Amino acid sequence: MIGVIKANAYGSVASSIAEKLVRLGIEALAVAYAKEAAQLRQIGIKVPILVFYPQLENFNNIIHHNLEPVLYSKKSWGKFAESVREEKKAAYPIHIKYNTGLNRIGFHPDEANWVLEEISNAPFEVKSIYSHLGQTESPKPDAETERQIGLFKEIMQKHKKANDLKPEFHLLNTSGLFNYPEYHLDWVRVGIGLYGFANNPEWNGTLQPVAQLKTNITQIHEIKAGETVGYNCGWKAPRNTRVGVLPIGHADGFSRQYGHGKGWVSIDGHKAQVVGNVCMDMIMVELGDISCDEGSEVVVIGSGVRADELAENAGTISYELLSALGNRIPRIIKT
Ligand SMILES: *Cc1c(COP(=O)(O)O)cnc(C)c1O
């Protein structure tokens, strides 16, 4: 398994997650950009680290920190070969990515012959060859996924035949791991699953979220029917009620999309809806009769508020909600 810990380990704490995964015997880690990996090297993480989206101007940094770039185009291939020679290295570990249909990054399948020719002259050790599927969470059978897998199988055959190299092959992310057990191949690249989510209620049931986000009520107001709450009179109380003010806002990644009842928190096991607009630093929630006081604990994400359900209710996904959680939120690690 490659443990994907990009974006601060999906909004948690990349350093701690990396250390934990290394203790558990992970074979390799992956991040999006070189800077994320350099930070892991600085705290002493020694396992291979793939850089999924290396930027050409950072190639020397990749070598200095002993990172493993993913090469995805003739240009990235040529430029990295140049950097490796400049740094007087040989057999430098790299990974090759093919674009089988997502049209994000990757060599076109027709470029496989070019890649095969270049491999023998390049100062590289090809550690793995992979592609990324666009919709592994879709119910099977899924025509586009099958088309992508078919293309990747052809690419695998070519690479297996052509060289006496023995690269590893991989295709699947978290939902692919659940949905396509027949294509686990040599490695799987698991991100969101490490944090407890798998894009499907059935698979979610087999995982546990690794973190909770909690806060405390800053202030409580008694509101009369007809009074408004928040910027632009965002909510008009339809009844006499209580409103709690919480110290988290859109600057912390609690997006404005969660305003106007799209988002909620859990207090004493009860759902309290966000009323009006989300502010930069605070939100207001309707408390009604929930038993609580100023200072009471509030679950923002955790028991009673699943990140994927909250995200979906506001038209986004758990990945965005988690990875957008800001630096201002203290991370507390329980070991
Ligand atoms: C982020 C990423 C993953 C992890 O995906 P999850 O759905 O979070 O498991 C795997 N592969 C690539 C190329 C990625 O960019």
Side-chain angles (χ1 to χ4, degrees):
M1 179 191 287
I2 299 174
V4 181
I5 56 171
K6 60 194 180 189
N8 201 19
Y10 290 54
S12 60
V13 188
S15 55
S16 306
I17 300 280
E19 281 163 355
K20 177 84 178 181
L21 290 173
V22 168
R23 280 201 299 279
L24 293 171
I26 197 90
E27 287 175 78
L29 297 170
V31 293
Y33 300 111
K35 188 177 172 188
E36 299 174 286
Q39 287 165 352
L40 297 171
R41 285 288 184 247
Q42 270 147 21
I43 60 156
I45 299 292
K46 299 209 167 59
V47 297
I49 306 177
L50 282 81
V51 179
F52 280 154
Y53 310 111
Q55 304 294 301
L56 268 50
E57 59 277 15
N58 286 334
F59 273 170
N60 289 51
N61 252 344
I62 287 201
I63 298 170
H64 293 160
H65 289 106
N66 191 21
L67 308 173
E68 302 186 358
V70 170
L71 302 181
Y72 54 88
S73 64
K74 291 182 179 177
K75 192 168 182 186
S76 66
W77 182 280
K79 183 82 190 343
F80 194 66
E82 214 175 276
S83 301
V84 169
R85 292 191 177 108
E86 260 170 41
E87 303 280 343
K88 309 214 179 333
K89 306 262 180 189
Y92 194 93
I94 59 121
H95 304 262
I96 300 173
K97 170 112 175 249
Y98 281 96
N99 168 22
T100 52
L102 185 61
N103 285 320
R104 201 165 58 183
I105 67 163
F107 281 101
H108 192 280
D110 292 347
E111 292 174 313
N113 291 335
W114 182 90
V115 171
L116 284 167
E117 276 172 28
E118 293 294 315
I119 283 179
S120 32
N121 303 321
F124 300 153
E125 179 202 349
V126 179
K127 283 189 68 180
S128 83
I129 294 174
Y130 76 102
S131 188
H132 193 53
L133 303 175
Q135 44 189 23
T136 47
E137 68 274 32
S138 299
K140 280 161 100 175
D142 179 70
E144 173 56 14
T145 306
E146 280 171 19
R147 198 190 60 78
Q148 278 196 271
I149 292 174
L151 267 176
F152 191 66
K153 279 182 175 167
E154 288 172 24
I155 292 166
M156 282 202 298
Q157 283 319 317
K158 279 191 181 170
H159 277 274
K160 280 182 177 167
K161 262 197 256 155
N163 303 73
D164 43 23
L165 301 165
K166 292 266 174 297
E168 313 280 0
F169 294 96
H170 45 112
L171 257 185
L172 302 179
N173 66 345
T174 298
S175 24
L177 165 69
F178 282 94
N179 213 1
Y180 293 90
E182 64 277 36
Y183 292 112
H184 283 180
L185 305 179
D186 299 312
W187 287 345
V188 286
R189 304 182 302 275
V190 182
I192 197 91
L194 293 175
Y195 312 100
F197 301 94
N199 310 327
N200 166 309
E202 186 191 328
W203 308 329
N204 282 337
T206 67
L207 302 173
Q208 266 187 22
V210 296
Q212 296 195 70
L213 175 53
K214 291 180 178 173
T215 189
N216 303 85
I217 301 176
T218 299
Q219 193 176 11
I220 294 177
H221 301 293
E222 304 285 339
I223 301 280
K224 296 221 161 50
E227 280 188 62
T228 65
V229 173
Y231 281 127
N232 307 108
C233 304
W235 187 66
K236 190 169 186 178
R239 56 194 151 257
N240 294 346
T241 188
R242 289 153 73 229
V243 164
V245 183
L246 310 180
I248 182 168
H250 60 71
D252 303 297
F254 197 91
S255 160
R256 281 185 100 242
Q257 287 163 283
Y258 304 115
H260 303 282
K262 291 269 176 61
W264 68 94
V265 297
S266 178
I267 304 174
D268 192 32
H270 299 277
K271 202 167 172 171
Q273 282 191 322
V274 178
V275 292
N277 288 307
V278 170
C279 312
M280 183 181 272
D281 314 302
M282 307 208 100
I283 53 175
M284 280 72 96
V285 299
E286 185 180 7
L287 300 174
D289 310 325
I290 298 172
S291 131
C292 59
D293 294 307
E294 291 178 350
S296 292
E297 186 173 270
V298 177
V299 178
V300 180
I301 301 173
S303 169
V305 198
R306 282 191 59 93
D308 46 4
E309 287 171 8
L310 174 61
E312 200 178 317
N313 208 42
T316 182
I317 54 176
S318 56
Y319 296 72
E320 184 182 7
L321 171 56
L322 297 174
S323 64
L325 294 174
N327 288 337
R328 237 171 28 174
I329 299 170
R331 268 60 167 184
I332 297 163
I333 295 147
K334 298 203 171 152
T335 47

